[in-house]
Amino acid sequence: MARTLESLVPGTPVFAGSTRVGDVVAVYAEGEARIAELVIVKWAASGDDVAVPTTEIESIDAQGVQLIRREADQYKDLAPFDVERFPTLRKIA
């Protein structure tokens, strides 16, 4: 299992507390940077791909990605991701 954001693979489970909220679709960095800025998650409840800022990620372990907030409904403000709105982002994983 990947231990860094930059090495996450599509399909990695994403959790809020013990609830699996979705799966990683992709990881994006700004411009030529190597550091991840956004993790795109296929959100199970809505079916949308949403952009999760990397500042919302608490840890990555053998189970998957653990978000900081422990309740899935605390992420209801995440908007569907549209890569066209972010022309300077580059997919890194």
Side-chain angles (χ1 to χ4, degrees), residues 4-80:
T4 66
L5 292 168
E6 295 77 18
S7 62
L8 282 175
V9 296
T12 300
V14 179
F15 296 88
S18 61
T19 303
R20 185 173 180 167
V21 294
D23 299 302
V24 171
V25 173
V27 180
Y28 284 84
E30 182 68 36
E32 294 302 313
R34 292 180 160 195
I35 299 171
E37 293 285 331
L38 295 173
V39 176
I40 310 309
V41 176
K42 174 67 86 178
W43 206 258
S46 66
D48 292 327
D49 289 349
V50 297
V52 177
T54 57
T55 56
E56 283 294 321
I57 296 176
E58 179 176 64
S59 64
I60 302 170
D61 60 23
Q63 187 179 18
V65 177
Q66 182 64 56
L67 300 176
I68 291 173
R69 298 181 233 173
R70 297 293 184 206
E71 300 296 328
D73 65 348
Q74 293 176 316
Y75 287 97
K76 62 185 174 198
D77 60 336
L78 293 175

